[in-house]
Structure formats: C-alpha cells, structure tokens
C-alpha cells in the first residue's frame, strides 16, 4: 500500500481530513495529515508565515517517510504540491490536486486569480492576513453541498489565512516538476475554485476525476473521495 500525505488548503488545518484518514487507513494505506505553519498547534503569527514556510514544513514530512509518497493537496495546497515536486521529485510517486490551484511557473495565487475571480465578500484583507468576514458567505463558498451540521462543524474551525503565501510566485520546471505524475480531482459544484478554472489547470493531469460536490469533498462526500484516492494510490 501507499504512504499518503495530505496537505490542507487556505483557512483549514489537518482537521479537515478527519473523515478521510480512517477510510484510507482501513484500505491499508499509511496516512499523514499535518498542520501547515500558523495552523492547529503551530502558533506562528500569520503575518510572519510565507510560502517557503509551507514548503519547508511539507518537505520535512515527505522526507521523513521511507518511500516516495502520494502527495495530496486541496485548494491552495496545490501550490505547495508543485513546489515539493520541483524540489524533491524523487520523493513523490504521485501528485493529486483536489479542487486545487495548479499554477504555471512564475504565477502566484494573487496574479492568477485575484484580478479575474469574482469576489463574494467571504474573505477580506486585513493587515497581514485574509480574515473571514461573513460565515454565511463562506458557507456558500466552501461548503455549499455539505449538510448544515457538517458546514457548521467546519466553520467553527476555519482560521485567518496569511497573505504572503498567496503573493509568492511558484517556481516549476519541466525537468523536475514536469517528470512527476499528477492527477486532478475536479469538483463540479465548486464556488471556491470555479470549475472552469479547474478545467484549465487540470490540463496535462492524468487521470482527471470528476466529483459532483462542493469545494470540500473530504467533508461532503468522504467515502467517494477516499475511494478515488485509494484507486489513485494503487495505480
């Protein structure tokens, strides 16, 4: 079986994978979910956190494993996946982008999305962080196919997001990042990373798997999501 490392996205932490981890472990996989800097037990101030910090924390997890890993990234966690594949291609058996941001060399989340993506007021810049401003709007953005109970559970746990990682460009090359196999799980009812953007970014991934869920399939459809990860890990 595979070693699967789970990288969460903006405003989340390792908690978001809570329903998926036991499902994957029951299928025989080793699963590692961890908090990026400024999340969970890591009390670093958000204004001090950079994309390099995210990458370094993930690299430490990947390098601690005895075998190349299946590296799974949700949403903005996709930028971390790309950087890890560029720096440690020999340590990654497969990249799995989940409703994730897969940027070209030199792009940042801000440069690629903020000028063109519709903004619904769910987040607003405040000093060094992106701060949740409206619970109802964030529910529509991230959890629109989740039950009210599940959405409330997640909304009680989301946290402010550092701005600096969103402004940092991703650096990837064909010789390193380009040699790592990558798959993409698209979410058809997504209002966080819109389906048209996912279609564009998933070009070159194989396979591309479609799920009829919101931006958070680990919460809205954990069994189906875990089954897809299991199948990908066994390829």
């Amino acid at each position: 079986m595979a070693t699967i490392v789970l990288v969460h996205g903006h405003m989340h932490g390792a908690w978001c994978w809570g329903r998926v981890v036991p499902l994957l472990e029951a299928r025989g996989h080793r699963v590692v979910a961890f908090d990026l800097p400024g999340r969970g037990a890591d009390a670093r101030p958000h204004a001090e956190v950079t994309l390099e910090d995210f990458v370094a924390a993930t690299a430490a997890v990947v390098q601690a494993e005895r075998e190349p890993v299946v590296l799974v990234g949700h949403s903005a966690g996709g930028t971390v996946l790309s950087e890890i594949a560029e720096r440690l291609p020999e340590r990654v058996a497969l990249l799995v982008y989940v409703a994730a941001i897969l940027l070209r060399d030199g792009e940042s989340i801000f440069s690629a999305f903020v000028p063109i993506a519709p903004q619904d007021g769910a987040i607003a810049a405040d000093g060094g962080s992106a701060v949740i401003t409206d619970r109802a709007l964030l529910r529509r953005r991230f959890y629109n196919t989740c039950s009210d109970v599940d959405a409330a559970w997640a909304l009680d746990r989301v946290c402010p997001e550092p701005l600096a990682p969103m402004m940092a460009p991703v650096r990837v090359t064909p010789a390193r990042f380009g040699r790592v196999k990558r798959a993409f799980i698209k979410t058809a009812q997504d209002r966080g990373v819109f389906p048209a953007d996912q279609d564009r970014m998933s070009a070159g991934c194989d396979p591309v798997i479609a799920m009829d869920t919101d931006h958070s399939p680990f919460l809205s459809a954990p069994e189906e999501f875990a089954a897809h990860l299991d199948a990908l890990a066994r390829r």
Side-chain angles (χ1 to χ4, degrees):
M1 296 300 140
T3 298
I4 301 174
V5 175
L6 302 171
V7 181
H8 64 78
H10 279 173
M11 302 184 188
H12 288 64
W15 56 264
C16 74
W17 307 108
R19 292 187 176 178
V20 173
V21 170
L23 296 172
L24 292 172
E25 290 177 337
R27 290 168 165 85
H29 301 291
R30 169 169 164 74
V31 186
V32 182
F34 66 101
D35 294 308
L36 290 172
R39 304 292 178 271
D42 189 311
R44 222 170 308 184
H46 292 142
E48 298 177 7
V49 175
T50 66
L51 178 59
E52 185 63 30
D53 294 326
F54 286 174
V55 175
T58 307
V61 172
V62 169
Q63 290 179 304
E65 298 303 320
R66 299 179 62 181
E67 60 184 8
V69 305
V70 175
L71 190 60
V72 180
H74 174 242
S75 193
T79 60
V80 177
L81 261 62
S82 298
E83 286 280 357
I84 293 294
E86 176 67 18
R87 301 179 194 202
L88 301 169
E90 71 285 352
R91 301 296 301 152
V92 182
L94 175 68
L95 300 169
V96 183
Y97 292 84
V98 181
I101 295 175
L102 201 175
L103 300 174
R104 295 172 294 189
D105 181 58
E107 289 184 326
S108 70
I109 294 174
F110 261 49
S111 70
F113 286 95
V114 171
I116 62 171
Q119 300 300 303
D120 63 9
I123 59 174
D126 179 19
S129 297
V131 181
I132 303 160
T133 58
D134 188 299
R135 189 178 174 99
L137 288 174
L138 199 59
R139 196 247 199 267
R140 291 208 304 264
R141 193 180 189 95
F142 288 165
Y143 313 113
N144 48 293
T145 68
C146 289
S147 70
D148 289 340
V149 170
D150 288 343
W153 178 85
L155 288 166
D156 286 342
R157 289 161 174 79
V158 292
C159 62
E161 180 66 28
L163 283 174
M166 291 188 274
M167 294 185 285
V170 167
R171 296 300 180 187
V172 292
T173 62
R176 295 182 67 81
F177 165 78
R179 81 188 208 211
V180 181
K181 294 185 293 184
R182 53 191 182 271
F184 202 106
I185 297 178
K186 299 194 303 182
T187 43
Q189 299 192 50
D190 200 321
R191 296 175 183 171
V193 178
F194 293 100
D197 292 318
Q198 294 186 47
D199 286 340
R200 170 176 54 82
M201 292 186 295
S202 62
C205 295
D206 182 27
V208 176
I209 298 167
M211 293 184 66
D212 189 27
T213 71
D214 57 21
H215 190 57
S216 307
F218 45 79
L219 190 60
S220 55
E223 293 84 2
E224 180 188 356
F225 179 62
H228 287 310
L229 290 185
D230 175 54
L232 288 169
R234 293 173 183 271
R235 293 187 70 194

